[in-house]
Amino acid sequence: MQESFLSFLGENLQLFLTYTGVYNVTPGHLIMIAVGLLFIFLAIRYEFEPMLLIPIGFGILIGNIPFKDAGLQIGIYEENSVLNILYQGVTQGWYPPLIFLGIGAMTDFSALISNPKLMLIGAAAQFGIFGAYIIALQMGFEPNQAGAIGIIGGADGPTAIFLSSKLAPNLMGAIAVSAYSYMALVPIIQPPFMRLLTTKKERVIRMKPPRVVSSTEKIIFPIIGLLLTCFLVPTGLPLLGMLFFGNLLKESGVTRRLAETARGPLIDTITILLGITVGASTQATQFITLNSVKIFGLGALSFVIATCAGILFVKFFNLFLKEGNKINPLIGNAGVSAVPDSARISQTVGLEYAPTNYLLMHAMGPNVAGVIGSAVAAGILLGFLG
Amino acid sequence: MIKKKTGVLLSLMLLCSIGAQAQLVTSMRINEVLVINEDNFVDDYGKRNGWIELYNPSAGTVNIGGCFLTDDKDNPKKYPIPKGDVLTRIKPRQHALFWADGVASHGTFHLNFTLDPDKENYIALYDADGRTLVDEITIPAGQQTDISYGRRIDGQDEWGYLEKVTPSTNNLTLDTNEKMDNFKQNDAIGIGMTLTAMAVVFLGLILLFLCFKGVGKAAISASKRRAEKASGETSGKSGGDVSGEILAAISMALYELDEDVHDIENTVLTIQKVKRNYSPWSSKIYGLRETPRK
């Protein structure tokens, strides 16, 4: 009796052991957990995009707790598990438009409206997307996969997730983590290329202070912006529609509560859900592949191309501008839509060479134009390859 | 005034409801028809009969319960599709198959008429009012055995004999991803895509640029006019000796003051007033017993 009880207990303990993380762990899980810890460290120690890296980093930890695949509905890829239900917002692509609603409600387009030619810098920086697209094609990716990878160069996490969920869902985890990681690393990636491609004389160009923009212009902007861009690229509607709608809530002046909700609790909630589920989607068994490594490489390259394209475009543009109207090429990097980080970098690098030359407001122009540009580019890729 | 507002609101609601209706039953299409079924699809009773496939091309679920199917122009209400059957709710881009076996008692999807293989067959779908024609088609006489007649692409206008018989599914199925193959064949390097896409991105932002250049000019001249009007000046001078830098410094100082940016600084003691919102839950007034009045 006692013996059979002990053997029963032993068998149960043995069975329980097979369910533990310790029993199911693989080197892949440990690597991913280390990556998650690195993200959390970078976010807390160096404050690299903590709002993104903390949820994603912790999500990576959650997603890489090893477990026995016994249909317990705990993994993010198991249908109807809690994480899987939350992940639907990513796979079905409805988190990104809600994030764009919040971005619209918190973005001040005044810098762009006061100096609309800065919009063209935002367009030029989109070369990063298509440069990476060309290279990805040469590396053997299918056109739809190459398009999804290229969008990392737009430096816009929600857009990258939205497009990859439509074009290449199997690469979405790697693309999302890559996009957010490089957005956090913008302060490291961009400055060397900004210095490399500009002369000392160019770096101290002082731009005219932006004029005061009337509230009527601010109200007109989202309406005309939506009509012009979406009539041209209707596939960009989910992102651009929500971006401009959020901005109208902000600028109309009569929907303050809605604007505050969109740029406050709503965007915070979605950011938490998006970050944690994107992080958890990097389950080692699905994530550690050669393709993920290639995507990380291409992501870095696309950021570099986008930065260089923005700066070189400003230099080219300056050839046609009169003295006094010239643009400081240090704001060219801000054409990537990592708002407002890349604009801050323009300011920091600019101050190194001219301590009273404040470029932040000027850089915000191409920065927000980059948001519009990358959403338009995503719409085009979706239209062509979707 | 209130009446006027109510009228506008009601008109808008009416317009919206008309738009919503357009998205519903009226969007349904007769999609594919098989008249002679000898060696093809069988129904739930193991019988082979002609069939009619309906297609919902809209983005919303459509309930066709209460609508009518007919093969008689003079009798639009010949077969009323039963209401309350969950299967009559057709999901977006999905199909419903009706058996033309003449035995309506076999269920919702069994019609009370058959298709005649010797002559042309008129088929129509009417809305629940029995008067609004949703879709109609005349299937030519001389149909071939086990070859269906349908729209080449689901919901689109071109009809013909289909290569594959596709009951309850798409009329056109692709063996390859034509779009991708096209790209791989004609734009292997990606230059075409890059040039096209960048041209569109630039075009979009150039249009915005031109538009806001115009808006900006109009706004500047309007503000000048307002300023002149306010000051009573007629000359075009834009007054003010204060430079942009000074204005920026003042704005920054006001911003910092407003946002309490410098509240916490190393080695500097600052005092911030702590303000607590009043709440009856924490109120002493409600927590204390009132002294009885005499």
Side-chain angles (χ1 to χ4, degrees):
Chain A
M1 176 70 186
Q2 201 176 9
E3 201 176 317
S4 71
F5 175 72
L6 283 174
S7 79
F8 165 76
L9 211 60
E11 276 170 22
N12 268 299
L13 276 172
Q14 218 167 9
L15 186 67
F16 173 73
L17 187 68
T18 63
Y19 279 88
T20 61
V22 181
Y23 184 85
N24 292 292
V25 73
T26 64
H29 288 117
L30 296 177
I31 292 169
M32 288 311 297
I33 287 172
V35 172
L37 291 173
L38 176 71
F39 276 26
I40 294 170
F41 171 74
L42 289 175
I44 296 171
R45 180 73 179 83
Y46 298 107
E47 292 191 27
F48 283 169
E49 294 276 354
M51 303 282 191
L52 300 172
L53 288 194
I54 294 269
I56 291 179
F58 204 79
I60 293 174
L61 300 187
I62 290 175
N64 286 283
I65 301 292
F67 58 86
K68 188 179 181 179
D69 191 8
L72 300 173
Q73 292 192 326
I74 44 177
I76 195 161
Y77 292 109
E78 289 181 279
E79 211 166 302
N80 293 330
S81 71
V82 174
L83 284 173
N84 181 265
I85 290 166
L86 296 178
Y87 191 46
Q88 297 298 314
V90 178
T91 53
Q92 301 297 319
W94 55 268
Y95 285 158
L98 289 176
I99 296 257
F100 261 61
L101 177 71
I103 293 172
M106 65 171 69
T107 305
D108 186 355
F109 285 99
S110 304
L112 198 61
I113 299 168
S114 70
N115 194 359
K117 63 175 177 278
L118 299 179
M119 285 180 199
L120 303 180
I121 305 172
Q126 306 314 317
F127 268 116
I129 295 173
F130 298 100
Y133 170 78
I134 290 174
I135 299 167
L137 281 180
Q138 305 315 309
M139 288 173 75
F141 284 101
E142 292 290 308
N144 56 329
Q145 294 177 326
I149 295 167
I151 200 70
I152 299 171
D156 194 331
T159 307
I161 289 172
F162 179 77
L163 192 69
S164 55
S165 71
K166 307 280 176 198
L167 293 184
N170 53 332
L171 301 181
M172 188 173 56
I175 289 170
V177 173
S178 173
Y180 280 117
S181 310
Y182 291 126
M183 278 166 68
L185 296 175
V186 152
I188 294 169
I189 297 171
Q190 289 195 324
F193 294 95
M194 293 164 70
R195 292 189 187 101
L196 183 74
L197 295 172
T198 51
T199 61
K200 274 188 182 171
K201 194 182 163 193
E202 286 170 333
R203 286 176 217 145
V204 294
I205 291 176
R206 279 175 194 273
M207 295 171 66
K208 279 184 186 170
R211 70 176 172 84
V212 178
V213 174
S214 70
S215 63
T216 314
E217 287 175 88
K218 287 184 184 177
I219 291 168
I220 291 172
F221 183 80
I223 297 168
I224 293 184
L226 172 80
L227 295 176
L228 279 182
T229 53
C230 290
F231 263 87
L232 200 61
V233 191
T235 36
L237 194 56
L239 297 176
L240 290 166
M242 292 304 247
L243 177 79
F244 288 124
F245 171 53
N247 192 244
L248 185 63
L249 291 181
K250 173 179 181 284
E251 301 299 353
S252 67
V254 290
T255 50
R256 199 174 153 192
R257 269 171 48 201
L258 301 186
E260 277 173 2
T261 304
R263 66 171 165 249
L266 179 70
I267 198 169
D268 289 349
T269 309
I270 302 295
T271 304
I272 290 168
L273 294 174
L274 185 81
I276 203 89
T277 50
V278 162
S281 72
T282 62
Q283 220 167 283
T285 46
Q286 310 267 338
F287 192 76
I288 298 184
T289 61
L290 183 62
N291 271 352
S292 300
V293 178
K294 285 182 188 172
I295 289 167
F296 267 77
L298 284 166
L301 209 58
S302 65
F303 263 64
V304 171
I305 298 170
T307 306
C308 296
I311 295 165
L312 292 174
F313 179 79
V314 175
K315 286 167 71 102
F316 174 72
F317 202 25
N318 275 343
L319 298 176
F320 304 97
L321 296 175
K322 288 177 196 164
E323 202 60 47
N325 277 339
K326 291 201 186 293
I327 303 169
N328 190 319
L330 288 179
I331 69 167
N333 72 302
V336 303
S337 56
V339 181
D341 292 25
S342 48
R344 268 194 225 136
I345 291 158
S346 304
Q347 161 95 345
T348 313
V349 178
L351 287 177
E352 281 175 22
Y353 296 93
T356 55
N357 193 7
Y358 299 101
L359 294 174
L360 186 65
M361 277 313 286
H362 302 292
M364 281 307 289
N367 211 186
V368 292
V371 177
I372 300 171
S374 61
V376 172
I380 297 163
L381 286 168
L382 190 60
F384 277 119
L385 304 170
Chain B
M1 186 64 185
I2 293 170
K3 275 184 185 173
K4 197 178 169 185
K5 275 186 182 173
T6 315
V8 171
L9 200 66
L10 283 173
S11 311
L12 280 172
M13 284 169 70
L14 188 69
L15 275 171
C16 290
S17 66
I18 290 168
Q21 182 65 20
Q23 279 289 310
L24 300 177
V25 172
T26 47
S27 60
M28 289 299 294
R29 290 290 170 264
I30 299 168
N31 202 49
E32 187 179 356
V33 178
L34 180 70
V35 177
I36 310 169
N37 182 356
E38 282 186 5
D39 194 20
N40 206 267
F41 215 45
V42 292
D43 66 10
D44 297 343
Y45 296 87
K47 302 263 172 70
R48 288 192 173 84
N49 285 291
W51 45 258
I52 299 162
E53 182 194 74
L54 302 184
Y55 173 64
N56 172 15
S58 75
T61 298
V62 173
N63 191 351
I64 54 169
C67 295
F68 299 93
L69 268 167
T70 183
D71 64 345
D72 184 354
K73 281 183 184 172
D74 300 325
N75 183 10
K77 295 186 177 181
K78 187 163 184 179
Y79 178 71
I81 300 170
K83 286 182 185 175
D85 187 329
V86 288
L87 296 175
T88 58
R89 291 174 58 81
I90 316 299
K91 289 188 174 170
R93 274 112 200 175
Q94 296 297 314
H95 308 76
L97 197 71
F98 286 86
W99 294 96
D101 53 6
V103 194
S105 59
H106 274 188
T108 301
F109 295 92
H110 292 263
L111 303 171
N112 56 4
F113 58 85
T114 57
L115 300 173
D116 191 338
D118 300 324
K119 58 173 188 168
E120 62 181 30
N121 286 280
Y122 171 79
I123 302 164
L125 174 68
Y126 279 85
D127 200 353
D129 59 7
R131 288 190 301 276
T132 311
L133 179 65
V134 177
D135 195 20
E136 63 178 346
I137 180 72
T138 302
I139 309 294
Q143 291 287 307
Q144 298 169 54
T145 305
D146 293 327
I147 290 183
S148 61
Y149 187 75
R151 296 175 190 270
R152 299 267 181 220
I153 299 170
D154 286 350
Q156 298 209 352
D157 291 338
E158 195 192 342
W159 282 76
Y161 293 101
L162 302 180
E163 283 179 23
K164 292 178 186 173
V165 181
T166 56
S168 298
T169 186
N170 308 36
N171 290 358
L172 181 69
T173 48
L174 300 172
D175 299 327
T176 56
N177 191 338
E178 205 178 332
K179 226 176 192 178
M180 290 304 120
D181 291 346
N182 228 342
F183 265 98
K184 277 198 261 184
Q185 199 178 348
N186 300 314
D187 189 24
I189 300 172
I191 295 289
M193 162 66 102
T194 303
L195 292 178
T196 319
M198 283 308 292
V200 177
V201 172
F202 265 101
L203 182 65
L205 289 171
I206 284 171
L207 283 175
L208 260 182
F209 158 61
L210 293 174
C211 195
F212 276 88
K213 204 177 168 193
V215 170
K217 274 184 183 170
I220 290 168
S221 58
S223 73
K224 270 184 185 170
R225 273 200 305 275
R226 273 199 302 273
E228 281 169 6
K229 202 175 169 186
S231 62
E233 287 174 12
T234 48
S235 65
K237 283 180 187 174
S238 58
D241 300 318
V242 188
S243 73
E245 282 83 358
I246 294 171
L247 287 174
I250 295 168
S251 309
M252 184 66 84
L254 286 171
Y255 172 78
E256 287 183 353
L257 182 72
D258 195 35
E259 298 290 315
D260 283 345
V261 174
H262 286 291
D263 183 57
I264 301 162
E265 284 178 334
N266 290 336
T267 71
V268 177
L269 179 66
T270 54
I271 299 166
Q272 189 177 20
K273 188 183 172 186
V274 178
K275 189 182 173 185
R276 288 201 179 84
N277 288 333
Y278 169 78
S279 161
W281 296 101
S282 58
S283 170
K284 283 183 182 174
I285 299 167
Y286 294 103
L288 293 172
R289 185 185 295 171
E290 286 184 39
T291 314
R293 287 182 186 168
K294 287 180 182 174

